[in-house]
Amino acid sequence: VWNRFYCLSADNLKEQYEETAQAFGAYCAIVASDARVLVVSRTGELILLDATAKEYTEVARLSVFKGEKGLYAHPAFAGTRAYVRGSA
């Protein structure tokens, strides 16, 4: 499962799709709503996914911490803002 991201059906836990990428390596934080999934990688990359898509669909991708090597904090949300803490 190294470097892989899986989408499973909430009804039966069957795999819907799988995506392989470095961002899904040793650790990533994942939070979701009915419409979106936010992945925060250990290297400080934010990946916004379409939660309703039948296959892996990125809506946006942004590197927020250049050179980050150990981001383990989950993001926090308030209203329309997301807060992410780096390790440095």
Side-chain angles (χ1 to χ4, degrees):
V1 295
W2 192 260
N3 292 334
R4 291 191 181 137
F5 178 86
Y6 294 92
C7 174
L8 307 175
S9 168
D11 293 330
N12 56 22
L13 297 181
K14 288 187 179 178
E15 183 179 315
Q16 302 299 298
Y17 62 80
E18 167 189 345
E19 182 69 16
T20 302
Q22 188 69 30
F24 310 127
Y27 174 85
C28 62
I30 303 170
V31 291
S33 69
D34 288 339
R36 297 285 187 252
V37 176
L38 178 65
V39 179
V40 181
S41 76
R42 190 173 64 127
T43 59
E45 190 170 30
L46 304 180
I47 305 166
L48 189 63
L49 306 174
D50 181 346
T52 64
K54 301 280 189 220
E55 59 188 28
Y56 180 87
T57 305
E58 285 188 20
V59 175
R61 183 183 281 247
L62 175 68
S63 290
V64 291
F65 300 110
K66 303 290 184 209
E68 178 68 60
K69 297 194 188 298
L71 194 147
Y72 293 99
H74 275 70
F77 300 91
T80 59
R81 293 183 178 193
Y83 297 88
V84 183
R85 180 181 64 85
S87 65

